[in-house]
Amino acid sequence: RKEVEQDPGPFNVPEGATVAFNCTYSNSASQSFFWYRQDCRKEPKLLMSVYSSGNEDGRFTAQLNRASQYISLLIRDSKLSDSATYLCVVAPYSSASKIIFGSGTRLSIRP
Amino acid sequence: GAVVSQHPSWVICKSGTSVKIECRSLDFQATTMFWYRQFPKQSLMLMATSNEGSKATYEQGVEKDKFLINHASLTLSTLTVTSAHPEDSSFYICSASTPRGPYEQYFGPGTRLTVT
Protein backbone atom coordinates (compact mmCIF):
# COMPACT_ATOMS: atom_id res chain seq x y z
CA ARG A 1 0.00 0.00 0.00
CA LYS A 2 1.29 3.46 -0.91
CA GLU A 3 1.97 5.86 1.94
CA VAL A 4 -0.20 8.53 0.33
CA GLU A 5 -2.93 7.63 -2.13
CA GLN A 6 -4.95 9.98 -4.25
CA ASP A 7 -7.79 9.77 -6.72
CA PRO A 8 -6.09 8.84 -9.98
CA GLY A 9 -8.03 11.29 -12.14
CA PRO A 10 -7.90 12.89 -14.59
CA PHE A 11 -10.84 15.12 -13.79
CA ASN A 12 -12.31 17.08 -16.67
CA VAL A 13 -15.00 19.51 -15.53
CA PRO A 14 -16.67 22.63 -16.93
CA GLU A 15 -15.79 26.08 -15.71
CA GLY A 16 -17.84 26.99 -12.66
CA ALA A 17 -18.15 23.42 -11.42
CA THR A 18 -17.27 22.25 -7.93
CA VAL A 19 -14.64 19.53 -7.79
CA ALA A 20 -13.41 17.46 -4.85
CA PHE A 21 -10.16 15.59 -4.44
CA ASN A 22 -9.57 12.89 -1.87
CA CYS A 23 -6.44 11.52 -0.34
CA THR A 24 -5.67 8.84 2.25
CA TYR A 25 -2.47 8.26 4.16
CA SER A 26 -1.20 5.12 5.86
CA ASN A 27 0.91 6.47 8.75
CA SER A 28 -1.45 7.36 11.57
CA ALA A 29 1.33 9.27 13.34
CA SER A 30 1.71 11.76 10.48
CA GLN A 31 1.95 15.31 11.72
CA SER A 32 1.29 17.81 8.95
CA PHE A 33 -0.70 17.81 5.76
CA PHE A 34 -0.65 19.98 2.68
CA TRP A 35 -2.09 20.45 -0.78
CA TYR A 36 0.22 21.59 -3.55
CA ARG A 37 -0.53 22.31 -7.17
CA GLN A 38 1.91 21.70 -9.98
CA ASP A 39 1.58 23.12 -13.47
CA CYS A 40 3.14 21.33 -16.40
CA ARG A 41 6.93 21.62 -16.37
CA LYS A 42 6.87 23.82 -13.27
CA GLU A 43 7.66 23.37 -9.61
CA PRO A 44 4.99 22.46 -7.02
CA LYS A 45 3.45 25.46 -5.31
CA LEU A 46 1.97 25.29 -1.83
CA LEU A 47 -1.78 25.74 -2.06
CA MET A 48 -2.63 25.34 1.60
CA SER A 49 -1.75 23.54 4.78
CA VAL A 50 -4.52 21.35 6.15
CA TYR A 51 -5.64 21.48 9.76
CA SER A 52 -7.90 19.25 11.81
CA SER A 53 -10.42 22.06 12.15
CA GLY A 54 -10.56 22.43 8.38
CA ASN A 55 -9.54 25.56 6.59
CA GLU A 56 -10.76 27.70 3.76
CA ASP A 57 -8.97 30.06 1.42
CA GLY A 58 -11.30 31.74 -1.02
CA ARG A 59 -12.72 29.07 -3.31
CA PHE A 60 -10.59 26.34 -1.75
CA THR A 61 -11.54 24.31 1.32
CA ALA A 62 -9.39 21.60 2.86
CA GLN A 63 -10.47 19.06 5.45
CA LEU A 64 -8.53 16.57 7.55
CA ASN A 65 -10.02 13.54 9.25
CA ARG A 66 -7.35 11.97 11.43
CA ALA A 67 -9.55 9.08 12.55
CA SER A 68 -10.09 8.01 8.94
CA GLN A 69 -6.64 9.18 7.79
CA TYR A 70 -8.31 11.13 5.05
CA ILE A 71 -7.67 14.54 3.51
CA SER A 72 -9.84 16.38 1.05
CA LEU A 73 -9.70 19.47 -1.12
CA LEU A 74 -12.78 21.17 -2.49
CA ILE A 75 -12.60 23.75 -5.26
CA ARG A 76 -15.74 25.80 -5.82
CA ASP A 77 -16.60 27.87 -8.89
CA SER A 78 -13.64 26.43 -10.77
CA LYS A 79 -11.71 28.65 -13.17
CA LEU A 80 -9.72 27.77 -16.26
CA SER A 81 -6.59 28.73 -14.31
CA ASP A 82 -7.29 25.94 -11.80
CA SER A 83 -6.19 23.39 -14.41
CA ALA A 84 -3.13 21.69 -12.90
CA THR A 85 -2.04 18.59 -11.05
CA TYR A 86 -2.98 18.63 -7.38
CA LEU A 87 -0.62 16.88 -4.98
CA CYS A 88 -1.60 15.61 -1.57
CA VAL A 89 1.42 15.81 0.73
CA VAL A 90 1.96 14.33 4.18
CA ALA A 91 4.75 15.10 6.61
CA PRO A 92 5.42 12.12 8.87
CA TYR A 93 7.36 14.06 11.47
CA SER A 94 6.96 17.28 13.40
CA SER A 95 10.24 18.67 12.14
CA ALA A 96 11.81 19.89 8.94
CA SER A 97 12.06 16.43 7.46
CA LYS A 98 11.09 14.78 4.23
CA ILE A 99 7.51 14.85 3.05
CA ILE A 100 5.58 12.18 1.22
CA PHE A 101 3.83 13.06 -2.04
CA GLY A 102 0.78 11.45 -3.48
CA SER A 103 1.01 10.69 -7.18
CA GLY A 104 -1.20 13.67 -7.96
CA THR A 105 -4.58 14.19 -9.54
CA ARG A 106 -4.75 15.99 -12.84
CA LEU A 107 -7.55 18.53 -13.22
CA SER A 108 -8.63 20.08 -16.51
CA ILE A 109 -11.22 22.83 -16.55
CA ARG A 110 -12.97 23.28 -19.87
CA PRO A 111 -14.66 26.51 -21.02
CA GLY B 1 4.55 32.47 0.69
CA ALA B 2 8.28 32.15 1.04
CA VAL B 3 10.55 32.51 -1.96
CA VAL B 4 13.14 29.99 -3.09
CA SER B 5 15.32 30.66 -6.08
CA GLN B 6 17.26 28.20 -8.17
CA HIS B 7 20.01 28.77 -10.67
CA PRO B 8 20.45 28.05 -13.48
CA SER B 9 16.92 27.49 -14.75
CA TRP B 10 18.22 25.32 -17.56
CA VAL B 11 21.57 23.96 -18.61
CA ILE B 12 22.93 21.87 -21.44
CA CYS B 13 26.22 20.11 -20.88
CA LYS B 14 28.33 17.43 -22.50
CA SER B 15 28.75 13.93 -21.15
CA GLY B 16 31.50 13.69 -18.58
CA THR B 17 31.30 17.26 -17.38
CA SER B 18 30.00 18.47 -14.01
CA VAL B 19 27.13 20.85 -13.39
CA LYS B 20 26.43 22.83 -10.24
CA ILE B 21 22.91 23.92 -9.32
CA GLU B 22 22.28 26.50 -6.61
CA CYS B 23 19.23 26.75 -4.38
CA ARG B 24 18.63 29.81 -2.22
CA SER B 25 15.95 30.67 0.29
CA LEU B 26 15.49 34.40 -0.17
CA ASP B 27 13.39 35.48 2.77
CA PHE B 28 13.89 32.90 5.49
CA GLN B 29 16.64 30.79 6.96
CA ALA B 30 16.39 27.17 6.01
CA THR B 31 18.29 24.70 8.13
CA THR B 32 16.94 21.95 5.93
CA MET B 33 16.66 21.87 2.15
CA PHE B 34 15.73 19.03 -0.12
CA TRP B 35 16.72 18.00 -3.63
CA TYR B 36 14.29 16.25 -5.94
CA ARG B 37 14.37 14.93 -9.47
CA GLN B 38 11.38 14.61 -11.74
CA PHE B 39 11.17 12.77 -15.04
CA PRO B 40 8.40 13.62 -17.54
CA LYS B 41 4.93 12.58 -16.39
CA GLN B 42 6.31 11.12 -13.18
CA SER B 43 6.13 12.14 -9.55
CA LEU B 44 8.82 14.06 -7.74
CA MET B 45 11.54 11.76 -6.41
CA LEU B 46 13.42 12.84 -3.32
CA MET B 47 17.15 12.50 -3.86
CA ALA B 48 18.56 13.83 -0.60
CA THR B 49 17.97 15.93 2.47
CA SER B 50 20.48 18.71 2.95
CA ASN B 51 21.18 19.98 6.46
CA GLU B 52 23.12 23.15 7.07
CA GLY B 53 26.58 22.41 8.39
CA SER B 54 26.36 18.64 8.12
CA LYS B 55 26.43 15.88 5.54
CA ALA B 56 23.42 15.32 3.36
CA THR B 57 21.22 12.28 3.83
CA TYR B 58 20.72 10.45 0.55
CA GLU B 59 17.76 8.33 -0.40
CA GLN B 60 18.29 4.72 -1.28
CA GLY B 61 19.64 4.28 -4.78
CA VAL B 62 21.05 7.81 -5.08
CA GLU B 63 24.83 7.87 -5.50
CA LYS B 64 26.31 10.36 -3.07
CA ASP B 65 29.58 10.54 -5.00
CA LYS B 66 27.75 11.44 -8.17
CA PHE B 67 25.34 13.96 -6.69
CA LEU B 68 27.38 16.13 -4.36
CA ILE B 69 25.40 18.30 -1.98
CA ASN B 70 26.77 21.18 0.03
CA HIS B 71 24.71 23.26 2.46
CA ALA B 72 27.23 25.82 3.63
CA SER B 73 24.83 28.47 4.90
CA LEU B 74 21.27 28.82 6.10
CA THR B 75 20.21 30.20 2.75
CA LEU B 76 22.21 28.25 0.21
CA SER B 77 22.45 24.61 -0.82
CA THR B 78 24.18 23.37 -3.95
CA LEU B 79 23.84 20.16 -5.95
CA THR B 80 26.69 19.17 -8.23
CA VAL B 81 26.03 16.47 -10.80
CA THR B 82 29.46 15.00 -11.46
CA SER B 83 30.51 13.22 -14.64
CA ALA B 84 27.07 13.75 -16.10
CA HIS B 85 25.57 11.20 -18.48
CA PRO B 86 22.54 11.50 -20.76
CA GLU B 87 20.45 9.47 -18.29
CA ASP B 88 21.01 12.27 -15.74
CA SER B 89 18.94 14.57 -17.94
CA SER B 90 15.98 15.55 -15.83
CA PHE B 91 14.20 18.34 -13.99
CA TYR B 92 15.98 19.01 -10.69
CA ILE B 93 14.01 20.88 -8.04
CA CYS B 94 15.06 22.03 -4.61
CA SER B 95 12.88 22.96 -1.69
CA ALA B 96 13.49 24.71 1.60
CA SER B 97 11.63 23.99 4.80
CA THR B 98 10.43 26.79 7.04
CA PRO B 99 12.22 26.68 10.40
CA ARG B 100 9.01 26.36 12.45
CA GLY B 101 5.89 24.22 12.33
CA PRO B 102 4.10 23.15 10.23
CA TYR B 103 7.44 23.08 8.38
CA GLU B 104 6.02 23.92 4.99
CA GLN B 105 8.29 23.26 2.05
CA TYR B 106 8.68 25.91 -0.62
CA PHE B 107 10.06 24.86 -3.96
CA GLY B 108 12.50 26.54 -6.28
CA PRO B 109 11.53 26.94 -9.94
CA GLY B 110 13.63 23.96 -10.95
CA THR B 111 16.60 23.39 -13.23
CA ARG B 112 16.16 21.53 -16.47
CA LEU B 113 19.36 19.61 -17.18
CA THR B 114 20.09 18.15 -20.60
CA VAL B 115 23.24 16.08 -21.03
CA THR B 116 24.31 15.51 -24.62
Side-chain angles (χ1 to χ4, degrees):
Chain A
R1 182 187 174 189
K2 289 183 182 178
E3 292 182 82
V4 179
E5 294 203 66
Q6 288 186 244
D7 285 348
F11 286 49
N12 187 316
V13 302
E15 200 173 2
T18 295
V19 60
F21 300 135
N22 303 313
C23 171
T24 57
Y25 59 96
S26 60
N27 182 353
S28 60
S30 296
Q31 296 292 316
S32 303
F33 309 88
F34 312 93
W35 283 102
Y36 283 77
R37 66 169 281 169
Q38 186 175 23
D39 294 284
C40 188
R41 298 172 71 85
K42 298 284 189 180
E43 78 278 18
K45 290 188 189 299
L46 179 65
L47 189 60
M48 55 202 307
S49 301
V50 188
Y51 304 107
S52 296
S53 55
N55 45 310
E56 186 174 313
D57 183 2
R59 298 181 294 108
F60 298 84
T61 301
Q63 296 276 354
L64 166 65
N65 184 321
R66 283 190 181 270
S68 302
Q69 295 175 211
Y70 172 95
I71 308 158
S72 66
L73 176 69
L74 185 77
I75 305 175
R76 290 182 299 278
D77 188 24
S78 53
K79 312 291 184 191
L80 294 175
S81 57
D82 294 333
S83 297
T85 296
Y86 289 82
L87 302 166
C88 175
V89 176
V90 174
Y93 310 107
S94 58
S95 61
S97 57
K98 67 180 179 182
I99 54 180
I100 312 298
F101 285 86
S103 55
T105 302
R106 187 164 177 182
L107 173 66
S108 292
I109 307 296
R110 61 179 188 269
Chain B
V3 180
V4 176
S5 71
Q6 207 171 321
H7 178 81
S9 55
W10 61 269
V11 58
I12 301 172
C13 71
K14 293 188 176 181
S15 281
T17 60
S18 295
V19 174
K20 180 186 280 190
I21 303 170
E22 291 186 351
C23 177
R24 294 180 186 272
S25 58
L26 298 185
D27 50 3
F28 66 100
Q29 293 185 326
T31 53
T32 306
M33 291 185 173
F34 303 86
W35 287 96
Y36 296 84
R37 182 165 54 180
Q38 188 173 34
F39 294 104
K41 298 188 178 181
Q42 293 187 23
S43 300
L44 284 166
M45 279 177 38
L46 179 65
M47 298 175 68
T49 301
S50 168
N51 294 298
E52 187 266 336
S54 64
K55 289 184 179 179
T57 302
Y58 290 82
E59 294 299 298
Q60 194 172 7
V62 178
E63 298 174 61
K64 62 181 181 183
D65 294 329
K66 180 169 181 61
F67 299 99
L68 301 178
I69 292 172
N70 184 280
H71 192 156
S73 78
L74 288 172
T75 58
L76 173 64
S77 176
T78 61
L79 168 70
T80 301
V81 182
T82 63
S83 187
H85 288 107
E87 56 265 32
D88 297 325
S89 299
S90 187
F91 189 44
Y92 291 85
I93 313 175
C94 71
S95 71
S97 179
T98 53
R100 283 175 289 279
Y103 302 103
E104 296 160 339
Q105 284 191 25
Y106 291 90
F107 287 81
T111 297
R112 200 158 297 280
L113 171 64
T114 301
V115 184
T116 60

